[in-house]
Amino acid sequence: MIMKYAEFFQTVRELRMTISDSFLPLCYCIYISKDLKKCVVKSNLTTWDMTDVSYFILVGMYKWQNFTYMNTRSVTLGFFNDKLDPVNSIRFDKYELTEINFSGDTFNPYQQNSPCYHVKGTSTGQSLSIEHIPLANFQQVLNIIWEAESKK
């Protein structure tokens, strides 16, 4: 069954609600252009003009409790291609983004929203260290990957 974008996003909303009432409304959608050099980041679960999009990334946030403290944690809900199919990685010429993990920072290790982008060379397996760039600034991540691409 081919799903339309509006149906897809509604399904994601419903899944988030059934998985846990701990999921927060904040959700990031990162839309990556066909040339993989530009992106648009939306901080809510909305559709976007997919004409120039090759991949998009969904990141959600949920709350959890540590004794009496309420904390939040971001989680990658998935990488998808422009046909809404889940993909394992976002492939560039010589590198691929395989995962986004989240950790705490020095000042508050329990609020786990600081991203760590796992990028590795497709032929060498060499990793790029890209950390602590907020999701809202994902364009910087693309710039770092393309800078590394041009050096090889």
Side-chain angles (χ1 to χ4, degrees), residues 55 76 78-81 85-91 96-100 118 120:
Y55 295 101
T76 304
F79 293 177
F80 301 89
N81 66 17
D85 298 322
V87 294
N88 293 326
S89 66
I90 297 175
R91 292 187 61 96
E96 65 181 335
L97 173 63
T98 59
E99 193 175 359
I100 303 173
H118 296 269
K120 67 177 184 173

Side-chain angles (χ1 to χ4, degrees), residues 38-71:
K38 299 181 297 281
C39 71
V40 173
V41 180
K42 295 289 184 182
S43 61
N44 52 18
L45 197 56
T46 59
T47 57
W48 183 254
D49 177 14
M50 300 294 279
T51 308
D52 187 42
V53 172
S54 60
Y55 295 101
F56 66 98
I57 302 168
L58 289 177
V59 175
M61 185 182 288
Y62 66 93
K63 60 186 176 189
W64 60 282
Q65 195 161 346
N66 182 12
F67 300 110
T68 60
Y69 298 104
M70 189 62 68
N71 302 293

Side-chain angles (χ1 to χ4, degrees), residues 103-123:
S103 63
D105 60 27
T106 309
F107 302 108
N108 192 346
Y110 297 109
Q111 302 291 3
Q112 298 176 341
N113 300 307
S114 183
C116 176
Y117 305 92
H118 296 269
V119 179
K120 67 177 184 173
T122 53
S123 60

Side-chain angles (χ1 to χ4, degrees), residues 36 90-97 117-120 128 130 138-151:
L36 303 175
I90 297 175
R91 292 187 61 96
F92 297 82
D93 292 338
K94 300 171 187 160
Y95 286 93
E96 65 181 335
L97 173 63
Y117 305 92
H118 296 269
V119 179
K120 67 177 184 173
L128 293 178
I130 306 175
F138 190 79
Q139 183 63 53
Q140 290 178 20
V141 174
L142 293 179
N143 294 345
I144 291 168
I145 293 171
W146 282 105
E147 184 178 315
E149 289 269 342
S150 66
K151 288 183 181 177

